[in-house]
Amino acid sequence: MDKKLFWLSDASDEYLMEIYKVCSDLLVASEAGGFGLSIVEGTSYGKPLMFRNISVFKEIAVEYAFYFHGLKPDDLSICLKGWISLLEKKKPFYLMGLQK
């Protein structure tokens, strides 16, 4: 597989848990975070986190995630490049999820 980003919809719980095990990072671009389950699930597997800068994500992940702004594809592209750069340099936000 040569894809770097995947959009999952209607994935079963079992499939989603397998994806969390093998993915390198968790990006959630939702404009309405729901209950923040993706944060809990992603952190339970120790994945670096990148979320849209909305209150529900910030309330749960606090400083343990990288947050992005914007609604256009170019906004996300710019943020992804910055995030990847920080991951490569292991900057402070890179805490491998919330500590257990």
Side-chain angles (χ1 to χ4, degrees):
M1 274 195 274
D2 200 22
K3 291 177 86 174
K4 305 278 185 205
L5 297 174
F6 297 89
W7 181 275
L8 301 176
S9 61
D10 298 323
S12 70
D13 289 342
E14 295 79 17
Y15 182 71
L16 195 53
M17 293 304 115
E18 290 301 314
I19 293 298
Y20 281 126
K21 288 179 189 175
V22 299
C23 73
S24 59
D25 313 286
L26 178 63
L27 163 66
V28 180
S30 173
E31 293 178 40
F35 298 107
L37 290 177
S38 54
I39 295 171
V40 174
E41 293 167 345
T43 57
S44 70
Y45 288 94
K47 303 301 177 177
L49 311 168
M50 181 178 181
F51 300 121
R52 184 175 302 280
N53 189 8
I54 60 175
S55 61
V56 67
F57 293 152
K58 293 196 93 167
E59 288 172 13
I60 298 169
V62 195
E63 75 269 15
Y64 299 104
F66 183 82
Y67 298 94
F68 69 94
H69 302 270
L71 300 173
K72 298 181 212 158
D74 286 344
D75 297 331
L76 181 55
S77 176
I78 291 166
C79 290
L80 275 171
K81 289 175 185 171
W83 187 43
I84 290 167
S85 175
L86 289 173
L87 288 172
E88 290 170 348
K89 296 175 184 172
K90 297 195 183 338
K91 290 294 182 183
F93 88 93
Y94 184 81
L95 298 173
M96 296 303 293
L98 301 173
Q99 301 302 309
K100 295 180 182 180

